[in-house]
Amino acid sequence: SGAMAAAPAPSPRSFSAAEVRARCAQGACLVSCRRRLYDLSGFVRLHPGGEQLLRRRAGTDVSAALDGPPHRHSDNARRWLEQYYVGEMEPGEEQVPPAAAECPAQTPARMDPRCKTVDVEKDLVDWQKPLLWQVGYLGEKYDEWVHQPVDRPIRLFHSDFLESLSKTAWYVVFMVWTPVVLYLSWVSYTSLAQGDTRLFSSFTTEYSIPVHKYYFPFIFLLGMFLWSLVEYLIHRFVFHMKPPASNYYLITLHFLLHGQHHKSPFDSSRLVFPPVPASLVIGFFYGVLQLLLPEVLGLSVFVGGLCGYVVYDMMHYYLHYGSPKKGTYLYGLKAYHVKHHFEHQKSGFGITTRFWDHPFGTLIPEETFEKKD
């Protein structure tokens, strides 16, 4: 697919300092950089530094508004900013103190947005058509393209039915799988209570180990722990594989599995795994556990893993759309995950925990979260 023809860009609108202050007083979040004005009203609650930080600095220099703790900004974040450009400050207006009026372009980590602009209407694909069948033609350009995020919804399929199966609201995942977790937990516990479940009984009856019902909470937690490892491995080695530039089908598969999420990380309908395709993956893991373990024991591990999956999906949504309190575990995890999206796509694979990033050597360096002046 060729690039879509772009209409001539309209002349930027001019804003007075008084108009900016008035709009901020009405609840808008406007920030500026060397007279370039950006409207971040729709983005403030998604920013890992917090809504209060941005709103407190609304009407001031963009570098002051965006560089709050616990992170600094990548080139992708600076390119992302250009999507919210609304116009120019009128010449001669002094809307910010002189000390804050300069956009610090001298530091690579805090690049002047004018150096890297993004026109979201002109891209390597046609956004007015389903993307899934287009991305495979990007070839060697795909990897760079998919890791330059935009703030717009994605359509994958021509078919409305298939499209509906490819996205879902976050609460649907909770409503579908939580009753399954509760029911299977009850089945597992009552089955273990019968006292006829033994470990290693398929190898030896003399030395097999009985599994009592009191072990169920520990087996359940083991399942959750194993899920956290599976979550890490899938995210790193499947979702973040680099498909060969010459393979149309692998590029298409990668975009379907995870590339779409990195291209549009705030498309709320694509932040959790839709129940229909999820049931296929969940059924596969259930079958594997039934082959490896006694039936009831395998079910007990499985239901713990299923609970871990639900927690994972809910937390992933929250890391994108929630506003955790500063200093909390979730606050740090949100900043960590945003770093993964905008700067460190080849590290920081943990969603619910950073635990597995430590032994596998994919932890995002702590110093990248420090504010740099």
Side-chain angles (χ1 to χ4, degrees), residues 163-373:
E163 183 69 8
S164 68
L165 296 181
S166 71
K167 57 186 181 180
T168 189
W170 69 269
Y171 54 83
V172 173
V173 172
F174 184 83
M175 292 173 61
V176 168
W177 296 114
T178 299
V180 177
V181 170
L182 294 174
Y183 174 73
L184 294 182
S185 295
W186 176 79
V187 171
S188 299
Y189 180 81
T190 54
S191 298
L192 290 175
Q194 296 178 9
D196 54 3
T197 302
R198 304 183 71 89
L199 190 60
F200 307 125
S201 59
S202 58
F203 301 104
T204 173
T205 56
E206 184 177 356
Y207 298 104
S208 61
I209 303 173
V211 182
H212 299 290
K213 62 181 180 180
Y214 307 109
Y215 294 167
F216 174 73
F218 302 101
I219 301 171
F220 185 94
L221 291 175
L222 174 64
M224 293 189 69
F225 179 76
L226 291 176
W227 162 254
S228 70
L229 174 59
V230 171
E231 165 204 325
Y232 173 89
L233 295 175
I234 291 176
H235 192 185
R236 179 180 178 181
F237 295 108
V238 179
F239 290 171
H240 279 273
M241 67 172 180
K242 185 176 180 179
S246 60
N247 196 314
Y248 171 91
Y249 297 103
L250 280 181
I251 292 176
T252 302
L253 178 62
H254 177 268
F255 190 72
L256 178 64
L257 292 176
H258 197 60
Q260 54 168 313
H261 174 52
H262 271 260
K263 188 61 182 176
S264 183
F266 295 110
D267 185 343
S268 61
S269 65
R270 299 190 182 279
L271 287 176
V272 294
F273 205 4
V276 173
S279 63
L280 301 177
V281 179
I282 289 170
F284 168 78
F285 283 116
Y286 173 79
V288 170
L289 288 171
Q290 288 299 300
L291 288 174
L292 296 177
L293 298 170
E295 182 179 358
V296 178
L297 188 58
L299 182 62
S300 300
V301 174
F302 168 78
V303 71
L306 183 58
C307 180
Y309 156 70
V310 175
V311 172
Y312 154 82
D313 246 0
M314 296 300 97
M315 187 173 289
H316 185 220
Y317 185 90
Y318 184 78
L319 294 184
H320 281 264
Y321 273 86
S323 298
K325 185 178 179 181
K326 181 179 179 180
T328 62
Y329 174 75
L330 289 176
Y331 182 81
L333 204 58
K334 180 181 176 78
Y336 188 77
H337 189 58
V338 170
K339 274 287 182 180
H340 165 73
H341 271 280
F342 286 88
E343 188 172 2
H344 294 275
Q345 292 95 351
K346 302 303 180 183
S347 56
F349 299 108
I351 301 294
T352 55
T353 175
R354 306 181 197 181
F355 176 81
W356 295 109
D357 281 315
H358 286 273
F360 286 103
T362 54
L363 190 70
I364 296 176
E366 199 66 34
E367 57 266 22
T368 65
F369 292 88
E370 298 174 1
K371 182 179 178 181
K372 302 291 184 181
D373 294 318

Side-chain angles (χ1 to χ4, degrees), residues 123-144:
D123 208 338
L124 298 175
V125 297
D126 187 343
W127 285 92
Q128 295 182 354
K129 298 177 181 178
L131 295 188
L132 188 62
W133 314 119
Q134 300 184 55
V135 295
Y137 295 110
L138 296 181
E140 61 184 13
K141 298 179 181 180
Y142 170 76
D143 190 64
E144 180 181 2

Side-chain angles (χ1 to χ4, degrees), residues 16-25 28-33 36-41 53-65 89 94-97 100-101:
S16 67
E19 183 179 1
V20 170
R21 285 193 291 267
R23 291 184 62 176
C24 289
C29 182
L30 301 175
V31 295
S32 66
C33 180
R36 289 177 68 83
L37 195 64
Y38 304 89
D39 187 349
L40 303 182
S41 303
L53 172 69
L54 281 175
R55 289 204 180 277
R56 186 170 68 247
R57 295 174 176 176
T60 66
D61 175 64
V62 69
S63 63
M89 296 297 300
E94 295 293 338
Q95 79 281 7
V96 293

